[in-house]
Amino acid sequence: MKKTAIIGSGGREHALAWKFAQTLTWKNVFTLPGNGGIPNSHSVDTKNFTEIENFCKNNEIDLIFVGPEQSLAAGIVDYFKDKDIKVFGPDKEAAKLEASKIFAKQFMQKYGVATADFKIFKNIDDAKNIIEEKNGNLVIKFDGLAAGKGVFVCSSVDEANSALQELEKTYGKNVNFLVEDKISGDEISIIGFTDGKTIKLLQTSQDHKQLLDGDKGPNTGGMGAYSPVPNVSNELTEKIRKKIIRPTLQGIKAENFNYKGVIYFGIMVKNNEPYLLEYNVRFGDPETEVLLPALKNDLYEIVKKCISGNLDEINFEFEDDYFADVVLVSGGYPKKYDKDYVINGLDNISKESLIFHAGTKKESGVMLTNGGRVINVIGRGKTLNKALDNAYKEVNKIYFKNMFFREDIGKRKNKYLKF
Ligand code: GLY
């Protein structure tokens, strides 16, 4: 029996579960802990690997797909290494590509991956000179995982000093961080699968991290995404492969990483040159919500091929359409927001569109908000504009108190990714 458990509780995990369920059916796809909208969600403490193991044994699950980075960084792959249950993802050492910004930068440097110049620091005071030297035009990155709160993109000495103060307040004066050159351009996410020998890429996508229209306001976990990014030239694609993807694969092999999982390249394009900003060792959120509906292949088969080291036997096939995701959040997010508001309108969604739940819970048959990012609304269309129109049409059918969303998803004026 093919059965899988997905770890996580957001829109990404709903999209993953939905994709697995296409071939395995919902009764064989378990999500731990899941949310109010993912069928077959189970309340399991996912920080406790023994609890996950017991749940999987009791339900004859032999494959675990990990959504968020925390479980990978904490060593879930290592925990299950000699057990019958397979976990899809990198082990703790390889997960440092995301969990340690310094480790990742040193890896990029060692294997000639195109990236911004950087310096490593272990004490707040030591970075004062470079801030003056660069006029505060730089990026400061805390070394460890910080749920999106460890990266400061600065444009002035004051901003850079405030970033250092913030770091000091949270972690103390003796903290590992890096300072890197700021590259301004167009961001693109490229996500693929690896079996440690091959990397196969899904389509391109673009995330919208800031809260407000025009890319203003605080960073969030993602306010929307679309895929594919139109008009990425063949020349740029080849440069991305040559300067980022291939040297990364060479590094994974040379370091002998135990890495059978998802790899995410966060790329900045400037003057038609790609630079790697970061690796993630898992699917992006909300990118997953627009990537998986476009993927025609059976996800379970892809994962099995990765685990057996035969990813090269698979050719990915994609739908010919564009997909757009508008995220509905609770007013106040990413700071303080309220929960427990009734979500209306979910029964009226058109069959061509998809809804992936994030911060929701179901109580006595009623769907309630239960987090900052609440619902992902996915539209599909022959053009990006059509996909966006379709997504916003469905957004207008949904309502909960203090609901908020960006109105300009997919409308960014990219400078180098022209369309
Ligand atoms: N969308 C960015 C991330 O998942 O990290």
mmCIF file of all heavy atoms in Angstrom, residues 12 98 189 207 209 221-222 264 278 280 282-287 373, ligand 1:
data_model
loop_
_atom_site.group_PDB
_atom_site.id
_atom_site.type_symbol
_atom_site.label_atom_id
_atom_site.label_comp_id
_atom_site.label_asym_id
_atom_site.label_seq_id
_atom_site.Cartn_x
_atom_site.Cartn_y
_atom_site.Cartn_z
ATOM 1 N N ARG A 12 1.455 25.376 1.764
ATOM 2 C CA ARG A 12 2.393 24.480 1.062
ATOM 3 C C ARG A 12 2.027 23.024 1.314
ATOM 4 O O ARG A 12 1.974 22.207 0.380
ATOM 5 C CB ARG A 12 3.808 24.769 1.590
ATOM 6 C CG ARG A 12 4.836 23.725 1.221
ATOM 7 C CD ARG A 12 6.200 24.046 1.835
ATOM 8 N NE ARG A 12 6.129 24.287 3.254
ATOM 9 C CZ ARG A 12 7.004 25.023 3.944
ATOM 10 N NH1 ARG A 12 8.035 25.563 3.347
ATOM 11 N NH2 ARG A 12 6.867 25.188 5.248
ATOM 12 N N GLU A 98 20.477 25.557 4.359
ATOM 13 C CA GLU A 98 19.467 26.557 4.720
ATOM 14 C C GLU A 98 19.632 27.016 6.165
ATOM 15 O O GLU A 98 19.473 28.209 6.457
ATOM 16 C CB GLU A 98 18.042 26.002 4.531
ATOM 17 C CG GLU A 98 16.995 26.991 5.029
ATOM 18 C CD GLU A 98 15.568 26.679 4.589
ATOM 19 O OE1 GLU A 98 15.340 25.697 3.862
ATOM 20 O OE2 GLU A 98 14.670 27.464 4.980
ATOM 21 N N SER A 189 12.331 32.554 -7.999
ATOM 22 C CA SER A 189 12.529 31.313 -7.233
ATOM 23 C C SER A 189 12.589 30.144 -8.211
ATOM 24 O O SER A 189 11.719 30.026 -9.081
ATOM 25 C CB SER A 189 11.356 31.056 -6.277
ATOM 26 O OG SER A 189 11.096 32.170 -5.466
ATOM 27 N N ASP A 207 7.730 35.130 -5.865
ATOM 28 C CA ASP A 207 7.035 35.311 -4.590
ATOM 29 C C ASP A 207 6.837 36.813 -4.354
ATOM 30 O O ASP A 207 7.546 37.625 -4.940
ATOM 31 C CB ASP A 207 7.964 34.715 -3.506
ATOM 32 C CG ASP A 207 7.388 34.763 -2.112
ATOM 33 O OD1 ASP A 207 6.195 35.053 -1.979
ATOM 34 O OD2 ASP A 207 8.147 34.510 -1.164
ATOM 35 N N LYS A 209 6.951 38.963 -1.058
ATOM 36 C CA LYS A 209 7.158 38.786 0.393
ATOM 37 C C LYS A 209 6.598 39.926 1.232
ATOM 38 O O LYS A 209 6.211 39.725 2.367
ATOM 39 C CB LYS A 209 8.647 38.646 0.688
ATOM 40 C CG LYS A 209 9.249 37.346 0.159
ATOM 41 C CD LYS A 209 10.551 37.016 0.860
ATOM 42 C CE LYS A 209 11.141 35.712 0.371
ATOM 43 N NZ LYS A 209 11.775 35.822 -0.951
ATOM 44 N N GLY A 221 5.474 35.944 5.442
ATOM 45 C CA GLY A 221 5.768 34.606 4.923
ATOM 46 C C GLY A 221 5.339 34.454 3.470
ATOM 47 O O GLY A 221 5.409 33.363 2.912
ATOM 48 N N GLY A 222 4.912 35.542 2.808
ATOM 49 C CA GLY A 222 4.518 35.463 1.400
ATOM 50 C C GLY A 222 3.067 35.870 1.219
ATOM 51 O O GLY A 222 2.181 35.314 1.864
ATOM 52 N N TYR A 264 15.827 24.576 -3.249
ATOM 53 C CA TYR A 264 15.219 25.850 -3.642
ATOM 54 C C TYR A 264 16.336 26.868 -3.830
ATOM 55 O O TYR A 264 17.145 27.070 -2.924
ATOM 56 C CB TYR A 264 14.277 26.258 -2.514
ATOM 57 C CG TYR A 264 13.639 27.625 -2.541
ATOM 58 C CD1 TYR A 264 12.267 27.768 -2.351
ATOM 59 C CD2 TYR A 264 14.382 28.798 -2.676
ATOM 60 C CE1 TYR A 264 11.662 29.018 -2.320
ATOM 61 C CE2 TYR A 264 13.779 30.047 -2.657
ATOM 62 C CZ TYR A 264 12.438 30.147 -2.474
ATOM 63 O OH TYR A 264 11.854 31.389 -2.429
ATOM 64 N N GLU A 278 20.104 32.701 -1.701
ATOM 65 C CA GLU A 278 19.975 31.694 -0.623
ATOM 66 C C GLU A 278 19.539 30.352 -1.192
ATOM 67 O O GLU A 278 18.949 30.278 -2.275
ATOM 68 C CB GLU A 278 18.928 32.145 0.394
ATOM 69 C CG GLU A 278 17.544 32.280 -0.224
ATOM 70 C CD GLU A 278 16.426 32.580 0.768
ATOM 71 O OE1 GLU A 278 16.712 32.698 1.962
ATOM 72 O OE2 GLU A 278 15.270 32.664 0.323
ATOM 73 N N ASN A 280 17.151 27.102 0.012
ATOM 74 C CA ASN A 280 16.272 26.488 0.997
ATOM 75 C C ASN A 280 16.281 24.998 0.682
ATOM 76 O O ASN A 280 16.481 24.612 -0.480
ATOM 77 C CB ASN A 280 14.852 27.039 0.914
ATOM 78 C CG ASN A 280 14.791 28.501 1.350
ATOM 79 O OD1 ASN A 280 15.504 28.904 2.270
ATOM 80 N ND2 ASN A 280 13.979 29.290 0.687
ATOM 81 N N ARG A 282 13.820 22.887 1.061
ATOM 82 C CA ARG A 282 12.416 22.431 1.067
ATOM 83 C C ARG A 282 11.658 23.266 0.051
ATOM 84 O O ARG A 282 12.206 24.198 -0.528
ATOM 85 C CB ARG A 282 11.838 22.596 2.469
ATOM 86 C CG ARG A 282 12.344 23.874 3.190
ATOM 87 C CD ARG A 282 11.478 25.021 3.150
ATOM 88 N NE ARG A 282 12.114 26.250 3.564
ATOM 89 C CZ ARG A 282 11.677 27.439 3.199
ATOM 90 N NH1 ARG A 282 10.644 27.559 2.407
ATOM 91 N NH2 ARG A 282 12.282 28.533 3.582
ATOM 92 N N PHE A 283 10.396 22.923 -0.145
ATOM 93 C CA PHE A 283 9.558 23.706 -1.047
ATOM 94 C C PHE A 283 9.310 25.097 -0.467
ATOM 95 O O PHE A 283 9.233 25.264 0.759
ATOM 96 C CB PHE A 283 8.198 23.022 -1.215
ATOM 97 C CG PHE A 283 8.085 22.203 -2.470
ATOM 98 C CD1 PHE A 283 7.934 20.830 -2.417
ATOM 99 C CD2 PHE A 283 8.114 22.827 -3.713
ATOM 100 C CE1 PHE A 283 7.825 20.085 -3.583
ATOM 101 C CE2 PHE A 283 7.994 22.092 -4.877
ATOM 102 C CZ PHE A 283 7.854 20.715 -4.816
ATOM 103 N N GLY A 284 9.159 26.095 -1.324
ATOM 104 C CA GLY A 284 8.823 27.446 -0.877
ATOM 105 C C GLY A 284 7.327 27.568 -0.644
ATOM 106 O O GLY A 284 6.526 26.833 -1.209
ATOM 107 N N ASP A 285 6.985 28.498 0.220
ATOM 108 C CA ASP A 285 5.579 28.812 0.462
ATOM 109 C C ASP A 285 5.453 30.316 0.266
ATOM 110 O O ASP A 285 6.167 31.057 0.942
ATOM 111 C CB ASP A 285 5.225 28.413 1.895
ATOM 112 C CG ASP A 285 3.730 28.355 2.136
ATOM 113 O OD1 ASP A 285 2.979 28.810 1.267
ATOM 114 O OD2 ASP A 285 3.322 27.864 3.203
ATOM 115 N N PRO A 286 4.675 30.838 -0.661
ATOM 116 C CA PRO A 286 3.582 30.217 -1.402
ATOM 117 C C PRO A 286 3.934 29.681 -2.808
ATOM 118 O O PRO A 286 3.011 29.373 -3.574
ATOM 119 C CB PRO A 286 2.594 31.368 -1.545
ATOM 120 C CG PRO A 286 3.428 32.607 -1.602
ATOM 121 C CD PRO A 286 4.666 32.324 -0.817
ATOM 122 N N GLU A 287 5.205 29.517 -3.150
ATOM 123 C CA GLU A 287 5.520 29.049 -4.514
ATOM 124 C C GLU A 287 4.915 27.665 -4.812
ATOM 125 O O GLU A 287 4.446 27.412 -5.928
ATOM 126 C CB GLU A 287 7.036 28.981 -4.725
ATOM 127 C CG GLU A 287 7.738 30.329 -4.763
ATOM 128 C CD GLU A 287 8.315 30.740 -3.418
ATOM 129 O OE1 GLU A 287 7.719 30.354 -2.381
ATOM 130 O OE2 GLU A 287 9.328 31.445 -3.395
ATOM 131 N N ARG A 373 -1.594 33.970 8.022
ATOM 132 C CA ARG A 373 -1.910 33.665 6.620
ATOM 133 C C ARG A 373 -3.008 32.612 6.668
ATOM 134 O O ARG A 373 -2.826 31.544 7.228
ATOM 135 C CB ARG A 373 -0.675 33.141 5.905
ATOM 136 C CG ARG A 373 0.343 34.241 5.650
ATOM 137 C CD ARG A 373 1.703 33.693 5.507
ATOM 138 N NE ARG A 373 2.012 33.291 4.162
ATOM 139 C CZ ARG A 373 2.912 32.353 3.862
ATOM 140 N NH1 ARG A 373 3.535 31.704 4.813
ATOM 141 N NH2 ARG A 373 3.177 32.065 2.613
HETATM 142 N N1 GLY B 1 8.717 31.898 -0.343
HETATM 143 C C1 GLY B 1 9.955 31.915 0.339
HETATM 144 C C2 GLY B 1 10.191 30.766 1.209
HETATM 145 O O1 GLY B 1 9.446 29.816 1.219
HETATM 146 O O2 GLY B 1 11.187 30.785 1.917
#
